[in-house]
């Protein structure tokens, strides 16, 4: 099957997956070992109904999302370790330069002592001087010379210790860097394997199955959004902070760009790549992954959302979107889809976080005009209900 056909199937069939949204507040577990690589289900699609297809696709999507976010976390940690290695290398080079300078000073001191040109001979001459008062007046010369020799020795010893410490730290950092690079490769291979499983599953679906899945998705997402609105969670109107407004503006400008796992722009994004870059453009650095955004940023109730807040989905915090107001979010849903506007309840809610809890709200705010087709395409992310 050609890449164009597979992409077409992905783009069409990915619009078919649906997840029934249900709010949750549980704390997500820490990163878990990567599950086994996703493969196409053993049972053929023709042998099961729409619900069975949904369950299989959702399982594949969930595993791909988990592996993708693990990869993102490893990639971010590798960047930090690489920067640390470069910093230690620079410090080590400077320390070795200082050590070489100290060794040259010590060598000159040794040569002067060997050749009898040290201040010790001056000391003897002063002791043998016929004018003791003159000798006392010049005693500071002796003290200064002795202090200079001690300083050379101390500086050399300190430089040696510092260089040895930096060399050990650099070796440790390089070891961590190599281990992270190996882990990143394993995680990348896992994601790619699982995406092949999804493609195989999608390629086996008939047009009738795709149409049934798509209709079920629209119906379930609409029902979940109606339930959320009926609860009163969307009734309040809150204004964004200046930074939140900028984050919304950035996200709107990305509508239509493709989802690519691990991408942070400018031409493509994954879910947390979009939210982290939106807030970076607004002048605030936030964690790279959806799990760390949920773990580190300030939690806010769904009923207190203001534009710019991040909405986190699924028990494992494996998906995130940016709230823009009016019960809507902007998200990068999944492979085969593009950045789009979706209902807030398009996926099972875990909670919401605010990157700038101390930000003062604007006195007025109008949502920027959305481009045509901003809501087109699939709304759901990856996870499965109750997973």
């Amino acid at each position: 099957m050609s890449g164009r056909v597979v992409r077409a199937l992905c783009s069409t069939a990915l619009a078919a997956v649906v997840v029934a949204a249900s709010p949750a507040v549980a704390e997500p577990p820490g990163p878990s070992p990567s599950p086994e690589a996703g493969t196409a289900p053993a049972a053929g699609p023709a042998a099961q109904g729409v619900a069975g297809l949904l369950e299989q696709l959702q399982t594949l999507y969930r595993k791909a999302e988990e592996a993708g976010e693990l990869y993102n976390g490893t990639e971010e940690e590798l960047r930090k370790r690489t920067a640390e290695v470069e910093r230690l290398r620079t410090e080590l080079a400077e320390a070795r330069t200082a050590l070489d300078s100290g060794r040259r000073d010590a060598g000159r001191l040794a040569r002067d002592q060997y050749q009898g040109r040290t201040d010790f001979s001056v000391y003897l001459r002063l002791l043998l001087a016929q004018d003791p008062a003159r000798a006392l007046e010049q005693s500071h010369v002796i003290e200064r010379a002795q202090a200079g020799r001690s300083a050379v020795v101390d500086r050399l010893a300190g430089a040696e210790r510092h260089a040895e410490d930096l060399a050990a730290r650099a070796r440790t950092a390089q070891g961590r860097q190599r281990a992270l690079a190996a882990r990143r490769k394993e995680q990348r291979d896992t994601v790619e394997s699982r995406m092949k499983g999804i493609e195989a599953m999608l390629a086996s679906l008939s047009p009738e199955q795709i149409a049934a899945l798509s209709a079920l998705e629209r119906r379930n997402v609409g029902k979940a959004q109606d339930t959320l609105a009926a609860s009163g969670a969307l009734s309040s109107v809150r204004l964004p902070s200046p930074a939140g407004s900028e984050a919304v503006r950035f996200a709107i400008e990305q509508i239509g760009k493709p989802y690519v796992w691990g991408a942070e722009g400018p031409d493509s994004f994954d879910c947390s790549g979009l939210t982290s870059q939106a807030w970076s453009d607004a002048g605030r650095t936030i964690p790279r992954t959806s799990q760390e955004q949920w773990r580190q940023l300030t939690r806010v109730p769904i009923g207190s959302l203001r534009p710019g807040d991040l909405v986190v989905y699924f028990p494992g915090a494996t998906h995130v979107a940016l709230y823009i107001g009016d019960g809507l979010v902007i998200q990068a849903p999944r492979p085969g889809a593009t950045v789009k506007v979706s209902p807030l309840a398009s996926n099972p809610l875990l909670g919401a976080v605010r990157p700038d809890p101390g930000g003062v709200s604007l006195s007025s705010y109008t949502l920027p005009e959305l481009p045509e087709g901003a809501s087109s395409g699939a709304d759901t992310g990856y996870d499965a209900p109750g997973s």
Side-chain angles (χ1 to χ4, degrees):
M1 180 180 296
S2 69
R4 179 176 299 176
V5 173
V6 170
R7 285 193 296 273
L9 284 168
C10 286
S11 179
T12 303
L14 279 167
V17 182
V18 57
V19 182
S22 57
V25 294
E27 183 75 19
S32 58
S34 297
E36 69 282 355
T39 56
Q48 54 190 316
V50 174
L53 292 176
L54 278 174
E55 183 178 357
Q56 291 191 42
L57 281 171
Q58 289 164 354
T59 298
L60 291 172
Y61 285 139
R62 174 178 55 81
K63 290 181 177 181
E65 175 78 348
E66 289 173 353
E69 286 298 278
L70 283 173
Y71 172 89
N72 288 339
T74 300
E75 178 74 9
E76 184 69 11
E77 184 64 21
L78 181 57
R79 289 179 189 173
K80 295 177 182 177
R81 293 303 178 199
T82 300
E84 179 186 14
V85 168
E86 291 303 315
R87 177 180 59 80
L88 287 172
R89 283 175 176 168
T90 299
E91 290 186 18
L92 182 57
E94 294 172 350
R96 284 173 172 164
T97 299
L99 181 58
D100 290 342
S101 176
R103 284 172 175 164
R104 286 194 295 270
D105 291 342
R108 283 194 296 270
L109 182 63
R111 286 193 299 273
D112 288 345
Q113 181 113 11
Y114 177 75
Q115 295 171 2
R117 296 201 304 267
T118 67
D119 290 310
F120 182 68
S121 59
V122 175
Y123 174 61
L124 287 177
R125 288 197 297 272
L126 290 173
L127 287 179
L128 297 175
Q130 294 181 352
D131 186 354
R134 177 65 174 169
L136 290 173
E137 290 174 359
Q138 295 186 358
S139 64
H140 67 282
V141 175
I142 301 171
E143 294 173 355
R144 193 162 57 244
Q146 289 174 334
R149 290 198 300 274
S150 297
V152 168
V153 174
D154 291 344
R155 185 167 63 250
L156 178 60
E160 287 177 339
R161 287 193 299 270
H162 185 51
E164 290 172 359
D165 176 64
L166 285 173
R169 289 164 58 192
R171 287 192 296 270
T172 300
Q174 288 170 341
R176 292 190 189 125
Q177 184 186 37
R178 287 192 293 270
L180 284 169
R183 186 191 307 169
R184 179 184 62 172
K185 181 182 183 304
E186 292 176 358
Q187 291 167 343
R188 182 180 64 244
D189 292 345
T190 297
V191 175
E192 291 175 349
S193 175
R194 289 173 180 167
M195 291 308 304
K196 289 178 181 178
I198 292 173
E199 290 177 357
M201 175 70 177
L202 294 174
S204 67
L205 297 177
S206 68
E208 292 75 15
Q209 289 169 322
I210 291 174
L213 290 170
S214 180
L216 183 57
E217 175 188 54
R218 290 192 298 270
R219 189 161 59 247
N220 284 5
V221 169
K223 183 187 297 184
Q225 186 75 0
D226 290 344
T227 300
L228 186 63
S231 71
L234 305 180
S235 59
S236 61
V237 178
R238 287 178 170 80
L239 301 176
S241 66
S245 176
E246 285 300 305
V248 170
R249 178 197 55 76
F250 177 91
I252 289 175
E253 291 175 354
Q254 314 315 310
I255 289 174
K257 293 184 178 180
Y259 177 106
V260 174
W261 68 267
E264 302 176 76
D267 300 320
S268 58
F269 296 89
D270 65 12
C271 66
S272 56
L274 175 64
T275 55
S276 61
Q277 288 303 306
W279 273 95
S280 175
D281 187 77
R284 185 177 183 87
T285 300
I286 65 173
R288 167 63 176 91
T289 68
S290 58
Q291 290 97 334
E292 289 304 308
Q293 290 170 5
W294 171 250
R295 186 174 292 115
Q296 295 186 31
L297 300 179
T298 300
R299 309 276 175 91
V300 293
I302 293 296
S304 299
L305 284 173
R306 68 184 188 186
D309 289 345
L310 307 184
V311 182
V312 184
Y313 298 96
F314 308 115
T318 52
H319 191 67
V320 64
L322 189 139
Y323 187 65
I324 62 173
D326 297 332
L328 301 174
V329 297
I330 291 180
Q331 62 167 337
R334 62 193 183 209
T338 60
V339 176
K340 68 180 298 291
V341 174
S342 301
L344 174 63
S346 57
N347 293 288
L349 290 165
L350 176 62
V353 293
R354 181 164 295 163
D356 64 337
V360 178
S361 297
L362 294 170
S363 58
S364 63
Y365 171 74
T366 301
L367 178 66
E369 183 179 356
L370 299 176
E372 184 177 355
S375 300
S376 300
D379 284 315
T380 55
Y382 291 92
D383 225 317
S387 62

